Amino acid sequence: MKKIDSIPTNKVERVAKLVTTGVKVGGNYLKYYGEKVVNPNLTKDKLHENNAADIYDGLKELKGSALKVAQMLSMEKNLLPQSYVEKFSLSQFSVPPLSAPLVRKTFKNYFKKYPEELFDEFAPDSINAASIGQVHQAKKYGKDLAVKIQYPGVRESISTDIALVKPIAVRMFNLQGTSDEYFQEVEDKLTEETDYQLELKQSETVRKECEVIENLKFPSYYPELSSDKIITMDWMKGIHLSEFCKSDVSQEKRDRVGQTLWNFYMFQIHQLKKFHADPHPGNFLVDDQANLIAIDFGCMKQIPDSFYKPYFEVSTPTALADSAYFKSKLIELEILKPTDSPKEIEFFTAMFHELLTVFTEPIHKPEFDFANPEFFGKIAALSEKFANDKQLRKMNGNRGSKHFIYVNRTFFGLYNLMFDIKAQIKINDFEKYLS
């Protein structure tokens, strides 16, 4: 794989890269429509494939929050064409790494020492490279260690990247009139992910709080070998969760891993009210005993009680059956607004009732088989329905508290991971860990 010797860090360079990418995408459309004249039956499959490749190629050179957007989108399997999902999923743990000289220079800038001065052994080539940093293998204290190094300029470019992405997101997701607090929430979380000292503290807190959960492992962290841009932890032996999902393993192991993952998230959400809000397979390993290993806690989301209570009350069978109560919860969650017309109230009440009826189906049953494609077929059908809803396009898509962004993203990501694992689990098993 080609290695990167430099990353565009200032606004002009990053805008120029995105403009170049836009020109390529525009060329793909011109080519598609030209061929469409000759062949009216031509589908958009090749167009999607070419666009996904060009967009990903541009983002992977920018790295940072721009690439993080691709990583987040790769989890939206029911919203994007498959070619985008496949290409963007590479951003989870397989992107071009920094070259060895740039790694050495970066290490010196961040830590005031070269890696060979700090470790007994340090591999100059990375093992994994993702959106915000890349991981190298090292040795010290007689232990195998993983050293995560943040890419240069990542934190400094977040505001620029959000400003570039904002108008695109507004058009794509019908967010006209959207409060800046939505985008501020994303920017704040991305900024937190670049603070490795914060990640170190969060990792240690989660490890202590969640050690009660069976079949769940965490690495130990080394503050003396870490800084705000470098974090050192135990090297954990296992395969990425995506590899596990694709492997030929027994249903018993799939159920074990899936149950552990589900219990881990439900315990965090309902006990800690603060949870790991980045559920993609690059953040989890599975060892040869089918234990789940959580290895990244840069993105954590705190749930205030003012959101937690109505969020889980609105989707109970009782709430779904009581229209007045249901509407009251939609108001608490800022889905329905005082300025809404009767037509808007009727439309969004029906829309979210339909969404929640489907989306919360797993948590209303004692056991659930995530291998059953019927549930995900329903979600895909709803996504397509609302994407093509002309009435929805005419209305303001700015709906709901800012806390929906990461809470919903986490549930969508968790559901997708459970579907990939093909696990059959006990939904309320996590309750045995609650205090």
Side-chain angles (χ1 to χ4, degrees):
M1 182 183 293
K2 180 183 177 182
K3 297 181 181 179
I4 295 176
D5 294 314
S6 65
I7 297 173
T9 56
N10 66 52
K11 184 174 182 178
V12 173
E13 291 176 322
R14 295 179 79 80
V15 170
K17 172 56 68 175
L18 287 175
V19 168
T20 301
T21 301
V23 170
K24 291 181 179 179
V25 171
N28 293 338
Y29 272 100
L30 288 175
K31 182 180 179 181
Y32 164 75
Y33 287 119
E35 293 177 348
K36 185 78 170 176
V37 173
V38 180
N39 180 12
N41 296 321
L42 184 68
T43 68
K44 286 188 175 181
D45 291 347
K46 188 64 176 179
L47 173 65
H48 289 321
E49 185 178 330
N50 291 337
N51 282 346
D54 287 335
I55 292 171
Y56 177 70
D57 286 344
L59 293 180
K60 73 183 181 184
E61 291 186 32
L62 291 176
K63 293 188 180 287
S65 49
L67 187 56
K68 191 74 176 179
V69 170
Q71 185 186 87
M72 293 168 71
L73 287 172
S74 73
M75 300 302 295
E76 305 298 334
K77 297 181 181 179
N78 298 310
L79 303 180
L80 292 175
Q82 185 60 29
S83 52
Y84 284 88
V85 173
E86 291 175 356
K87 183 60 70 171
F88 287 1
S89 66
L90 295 174
S91 67
Q92 293 170 3
F93 44 77
S94 180
V95 298
L98 302 182
S99 64
L102 185 54
V103 166
R104 201 163 180 269
K105 178 182 177 181
T106 301
F107 208 100
K108 180 71 171 179
N109 289 340
Y110 288 166
F111 221 92
K112 308 306 179 187
K113 290 183 179 181
Y114 290 114
E116 63 267 22
E117 297 178 72
L118 200 61
F119 300 97
D120 297 333
E121 295 180 25
F122 182 85
D125 295 324
S126 70
I127 304 299
N128 291 313
S131 55
I132 290 177
Q134 64 186 43
V135 178
H136 292 252
Q137 200 162 11
K139 284 184 180 291
K140 195 174 179 69
Y141 312 133
K143 296 181 177 180
D144 291 326
L145 303 175
V147 184
K148 184 165 66 172
I149 304 173
Q150 190 175 127
Y151 300 129
V154 166
R155 183 180 299 176
E156 294 74 17
S157 66
I158 290 174
S159 293
T160 296
D161 288 351
I162 294 295
L164 293 171
V165 167
K166 182 177 178 179
I168 300 171
V170 166
R171 288 195 299 271
M172 283 182 65
F173 300 107
N174 189 30
L175 300 177
Q176 289 81 5
T178 295
S179 170
D180 285 341
E181 70 173 1
Y182 283 10
F183 295 98
Q184 191 62 52
E185 173 82 350
V186 174
E187 183 174 337
D188 289 346
K189 284 294 159 212
L190 290 172
T191 301
E192 287 179 11
E193 287 193 65
T194 64
D195 184 347
Y196 283 1
Q197 291 286 15
L198 176 61
E199 181 177 342
L200 195 74
K201 293 176 184 177
Q202 291 179 158
S203 302
E204 190 62 15
T205 298
V206 173
R207 183 183 68 82
K208 290 179 179 178
E209 295 281 3
C210 297
E211 62 184 2
V212 65
I213 300 173
E214 300 164 275
N215 310 320
L216 182 62
K217 291 184 174 182
F218 304 92
S220 293
Y221 293 82
Y222 299 87
E224 72 278 14
L225 300 175
S226 304
S227 72
D228 64 339
K229 299 292 182 69
I230 293 174
I231 189 167
T232 301
M233 67 193 83
D234 286 334
W235 182 268
M236 305 299 286
K237 294 182 179 179
I239 60 174
H240 279 294
L241 184 57
S242 58
E243 296 177 69
F244 172 83
C245 293
K246 295 174 183 176
S247 63
D248 184 19
V249 296
S250 66
Q251 188 62 48
E252 181 182 1
K253 287 187 175 181
R254 290 183 180 276
D255 294 347
R256 175 183 168 116
V257 171
Q259 188 71 65
T260 304
L261 182 67
W262 182 263
N263 287 352
F264 175 48
Y265 270 95
M266 294 303 104
F267 178 80
Q268 290 177 92
I269 290 170
H270 296 292
Q271 175 76 27
L272 307 181
K273 304 294 196 321
K274 187 173 183 178
F275 59 92
H276 176 264
D278 197 8
H280 71 77
N283 284 338
F284 296 96
L285 303 175
V286 180
D287 69 15
D288 53 9
Q289 275 82 47
N291 292 307
L292 184 70
I293 305 168
I295 58 174
D296 189 308
F297 293 94
C299 184
M300 298 288 292
K301 171 63 182 174
Q302 184 82 44
I303 317 177
D305 284 340
S306 59
F307 180 82
Y308 173 87
K309 288 190 67 178
Y311 184 84
F312 287 100
E313 288 171 345
V314 75
S315 57
T316 61
T318 300
L320 292 170
D322 185 334
S323 60
Y325 181 77
F326 183 75
K327 285 182 181 179
S328 73
K329 293 303 168 183
L330 293 186
I331 292 171
E332 285 187 59
L333 292 167
E334 301 174 43
I335 291 171
L336 296 181
K337 304 178 180 182
T339 56
D340 283 340
S341 66
K343 183 178 180 181
E344 287 174 320
I345 292 174
E346 180 182 0
F347 178 84
F348 284 109
T349 299
M351 173 183 171
F352 279 92
H353 191 279
E354 186 176 10
L355 279 170
L356 289 169
T357 299
V358 173
F359 189 67
T360 61
E361 184 180 325
I363 63 175
H364 293 159
K365 298 180 178 180
E367 297 184 0
F368 196 79
D369 182 3
F370 281 96
N372 188 340
E374 182 180 349
F375 170 64
F376 291 89
K378 292 178 184 177
I379 292 180
L382 279 179
S383 297
E384 185 175 357
K385 174 184 176 180
F386 293 125
N388 297 319
D389 192 316
K390 294 180 179 179
Q391 186 177 358
L392 178 59
R393 289 181 178 276
K394 295 177 182 178
M395 295 185 178
N396 185 355
N398 174 16
R399 294 282 155 176
S401 162
K402 68 175 183 178
H403 300 296
F404 272 111
I405 297 172
Y406 280 92
V407 175
N408 282 358
R409 175 199 176 195
T410 296
F411 268 102
F412 268 112
L414 177 60
Y415 281 178
N416 279 322
L417 289 181
M418 297 296 291
F419 180 69
D420 289 343
I421 295 169
K422 300 291 187 289
Q424 301 171 25
I425 66 163
K426 297 177 180 178
I427 292 298
N428 298 317
D429 189 61
F430 73 94
E431 292 180 353
K432 65 188 179 185
Y433 303 121
L434 301 181
S435 59

